[in-house]
Amino acid sequence: MAVGGVNASHSLGLDIAFGIYSVYYSRAMSDRNAALRALIEHRFPDATPVTHRTAEPVATGISALDGILPGHGLPRGRLTVWMPQGGATAVLRAACNTTVAQGERAVWIDGLGTVAGPFLEEGTILVRPKTRKHGLRGAEELLRCGGFALVVIAGIEPEGTETVRLSRAAREGGGALVTLTSHASMASLRMTSKILRETYRWRKTPFGDPAEAQEVMLRVRAFSLGWNKSADFPVRVIPYDVRDSLEAGLVDRRGVR
C-alpha cells in the first residue's frame, strides 16, 4: 500500500533500521566515553573529582576535620598530599588510631626514623625502611595488597614516576594514601595545616607562670577539584620524654652509689 507516494512497508523498514542504528550508535558512544574516562583516571588521577567512584572514606576521628573533607574522610584509592608542618603529624596519628579502632589496618612508614614507639598506639604498624628505595617499594606493595585502609608515608618525598606508581598502587588496592611532602603533583586532595600560636592553653605553675602546653588550635585547609574548605579545631599537646631505662616503670639509677 502506498501512502503519499511512499510504500508503507518500506517506510516502516526504514524506521526500524534507523532505530536499531541509533541504539548501536549510542551504545558505542557510551562505551567509548567510559573507556576515555577510565584512561583519564588511570593516567591523570588528579583530574577527576575526589568523590568520583570512591568507596567509604577513611575517617580521621576528628569531626571538625572530617566535615571539611570530600565524603567526610580521607579518600580511598587516591593520593592525599599533606604539607609537613603545622600539626600534620598529630592529625595523621589520630587518623591511624581511629582506623585501627574501627577494625581496619593502618601503617606508618617512617623514612627518617624519627617516630618513637609511644607516638603510635598499639595496632598501627610502624615501618622503618633502611633506605629511601626500600621505603617506596614497601609502600607500593602495602598499597597494592589491599590489606591496609590507611598508609602514611613520612620522611620520604616521592617524585615523578614514583608518585605515579604509588597512585596506581593505591587505586588498585583501594586504600587511602597520605604522603607528608611538599610535592603535590598527582594528588587528588591537598592538605595544609597551621598552628595558631596565640591559642596555646598552658598549665601554670603555683606562681601563675606558663609551665607546660596542654592544648592548641590548628587550622586545616583541604583543596581539591572544585573543593576548598577549612576548619579550626583543638589538639592536645602531648610531651614524649626520652627515657634510657629498659622499662617505663623502672627508675634509671645508673651512676647512683
Side-chain angles (χ1 to χ4, degrees), residues 112-223:
L112 296 178
T114 57
V115 174
F119 175 79
L120 295 170
E121 295 182 5
E122 184 177 357
T124 301
I125 299 175
L126 177 61
V127 178
R128 294 192 179 103
K130 293 183 178 179
T131 65
R132 180 179 183 277
K133 186 176 182 180
H134 289 165
L136 291 173
R137 282 186 175 180
E140 189 175 341
E141 292 301 322
L142 291 170
L143 286 165
R144 185 171 284 113
C145 76
F148 294 88
L150 177 60
V151 177
V152 178
I153 303 177
I156 303 175
E157 299 200 3
E159 301 176 353
T161 56
E162 298 168 342
T163 305
V164 175
R165 291 177 64 91
L166 289 172
S167 299
R168 291 177 179 175
R171 178 183 172 84
E172 293 174 13
L177 168 61
V178 182
T179 62
L180 285 166
T181 176
S182 56
H183 302 291
S185 61
M186 305 294 293
S188 296
L189 182 64
R190 297 168 175 83
M191 307 286 295
T192 62
S193 53
K194 177 183 179 182
I195 296 175
L196 303 179
R197 301 185 182 277
E198 67 279 4
T199 63
Y200 272 105
R201 185 168 62 85
W202 297 85
R203 181 182 64 81
K204 296 184 178 181
T205 66
F207 302 100
D209 298 323
E212 186 179 73
Q214 293 183 314
E215 188 179 85
V216 68
M217 295 289 291
L218 292 186
R219 176 166 296 160
V220 177
R221 185 174 295 275
F223 304 87

Side-chain angles (χ1 to χ4, degrees), residues 7-189:
N7 189 288
S9 60
H10 179 67
S11 176
L12 180 62
L14 289 176
D15 291 341
I16 294 175
F18 180 75
I20 295 175
Y21 172 78
S22 299
V23 170
Y24 278 105
Y25 179 78
S26 60
R27 186 175 299 171
M29 288 299 295
S30 178
D31 293 341
R32 289 180 61 184
N33 291 338
L36 181 59
R37 283 195 298 268
L39 178 61
I40 291 174
E41 291 176 21
H42 183 69
R43 295 287 300 276
F44 308 102
D46 59 337
T48 54
V50 71
T51 56
H52 177 62
R53 294 173 59 183
T54 56
E56 188 72 18
V58 178
T60 64
I62 303 173
S63 57
L65 176 58
D66 289 335
I68 68 168
L69 297 177
H72 300 284
L74 299 170
R76 296 179 188 259
R78 303 293 183 92
L79 167 62
T80 298
V81 166
W82 200 312
M83 291 287 289
Q85 60 185 11
T89 303
V91 175
L92 290 175
R93 171 183 178 271
C96 287
N97 295 336
T98 300
T99 301
V100 173
Q102 292 179 347
E104 296 188 281
R105 295 187 182 94
V107 58
W108 188 291
I109 300 177
D110 180 22
L112 296 178
T114 57
V115 174
F119 175 79
L120 295 170
E121 295 182 5
E122 184 177 357
T124 301
I125 299 175
L126 177 61
V127 178
R128 294 192 179 103
K130 293 183 178 179
T131 65
R132 180 179 183 277
K133 186 176 182 180
H134 289 165
L136 291 173
R137 282 186 175 180
E140 189 175 341
E141 292 301 322
L142 291 170
L143 286 165
R144 185 171 284 113
C145 76
F148 294 88
L150 177 60
V151 177
V152 178
I153 303 177
I156 303 175
E157 299 200 3
E159 301 176 353
T161 56
E162 298 168 342
T163 305
V164 175
R165 291 177 64 91
L166 289 172
S167 299
R168 291 177 179 175
R171 178 183 172 84
E172 293 174 13
L177 168 61
V178 182
T179 62
L180 285 166
T181 176
S182 56
H183 302 291
S185 61
M186 305 294 293
S188 296
L189 182 64

